[in-house]
Amino acid sequence: MLTNIVRSEDATYAARMKVVQIETLIDAGSISNTTSWKRAHRDILAGIASIHWPSGSGKFTIRPESGKKTGEGNGVKPIKVDFIRSLEKAGWEAEAELDLATRVKPGPLDAALTIDEAVIAAEWETGNISSSHRAMNKMALGVIKGKITAGVLVVPSRALYPYLTDRIGNWDELEPYFDLWRGITCKRGLLQVISVEHDATSTTVARIPKGTDGRASV
């Protein structure tokens, strides 16, 4: 189910980083109607809206440079930091370790909220498209095993992607595989992808900093 944003009830979230698309791939057991999901989803939207650039500007303006060239483009991890910080303030656990697999562990979730016996997971993409698939599969596995009630992956839109670190996972490259996750069978669980983007570009704003951990930097 695809939802185009922004609706009137989401006006609070429209002024900063924007949600442009929401795709709910699974909603078994009508998880989307539960109070725990509605509260968690509000937290996620508020976390996205908490991201400003430049810091404190009240909106998200990005320097329109290609991420393909050394010394140009914008980093991605500083964006995620603000998102996770917002979720932590709302009571979420960052780098949450859940027992999702019996053999090789798939690694911690970026953030998780346990509420009313539900576990809601959120992942913010900072790696390449392979990383996006791992994040989705991690949450899908959790849903299948009943360890996660709902999982949400946040990725850049087509418009934002070119200005970020080269080859970062993004909506357009992930969308062809949506039918794969739609085919998952479970009695109770929700899986969703959210696409986000800037609300303005300007050559006068600073680049979002990059780090030093290999080609993907941040």
Side-chain angles (χ1 to χ4, degrees):
M1 178 178 64
L2 177 64
T3 305
N4 287 306
I5 300 296
V6 173
R7 302 183 303 271
S8 58
E9 62 265 34
D10 297 320
T12 304
Y13 308 122
R16 301 170 186 174
M17 176 168 269
K18 297 186 296 187
V19 172
V20 290
Q21 289 176 297
I22 299 178
E23 182 89 19
T24 301
L25 303 170
I26 305 171
D27 188 9
S30 298
I31 297 299
S32 61
N33 292 328
T34 63
T35 55
S36 55
W37 163 254
K38 290 177 182 179
R39 178 266 166 95
H41 204 241
R42 284 195 300 270
D43 289 347
I44 291 169
L45 293 179
I48 293 168
S50 74
I51 301 169
H52 315 178
W53 191 261
S55 180
S57 66
K59 61 181 181 178
F60 190 80
T61 305
I62 196 163
R63 190 178 182 92
E65 289 183 345
S66 170
K68 293 181 179 295
K69 297 180 180 179
T70 302
E72 294 187 7
N74 298 271
V76 290
K77 287 185 181 176
I79 303 172
K80 172 182 171 179
V81 166
D82 286 346
F83 174 71
I84 299 300
R85 184 180 294 123
S86 174
L87 292 185
E88 286 184 297
K89 288 179 180 177
W92 292 58
E93 178 188 357
E95 294 295 303
E97 296 275 3
L98 295 180
D99 185 17
L100 301 180
T102 55
R103 296 178 64 192
V104 178
K105 304 301 180 184
L109 298 156
D110 285 343
L113 175 70
T114 302
I115 178 173
D116 298 334
E117 299 184 353
V119 179
I120 317 295
E123 293 266 296
W124 186 284
E125 188 52 73
T126 58
N128 60 23
I129 192 63
S130 295
S131 174
S132 301
H133 281 272
R134 286 194 297 271
M136 286 294 291
N137 290 336
K138 182 194 310 182
M139 293 187 291
L141 180 63
V143 166
I144 291 169
K145 290 195 167 190
K147 302 290 187 178
I148 293 174
T149 309
V152 179
L153 175 65
V154 184
V155 295
S157 70
R158 175 196 289 268
L160 177 58
Y161 159 71
Y163 305 140
L164 299 177
T165 301
D166 189 28
R167 301 303 301 157
I168 184 173
N170 59 89
W171 178 278
D172 279 21
E173 289 188 89
L174 199 63
E175 186 178 21
Y177 300 92
F178 284 176
D179 284 344
L180 176 65
W181 293 299
R182 286 193 189 98
I184 291 171
T185 301
C186 63
K187 291 183 179 179
R188 188 170 185 269
L190 185 148
L191 202 59
Q192 185 177 92
V193 182
I194 297 178
S195 170
V196 297
E197 67 183 43
H198 53 288
D199 61 350
T201 62
S202 174
T203 57
T204 65
V205 301
R207 299 181 186 95
I208 300 171
K210 292 187 176 184
T212 56
D213 55 333
R215 273 192 80 249
S217 296
V218 282

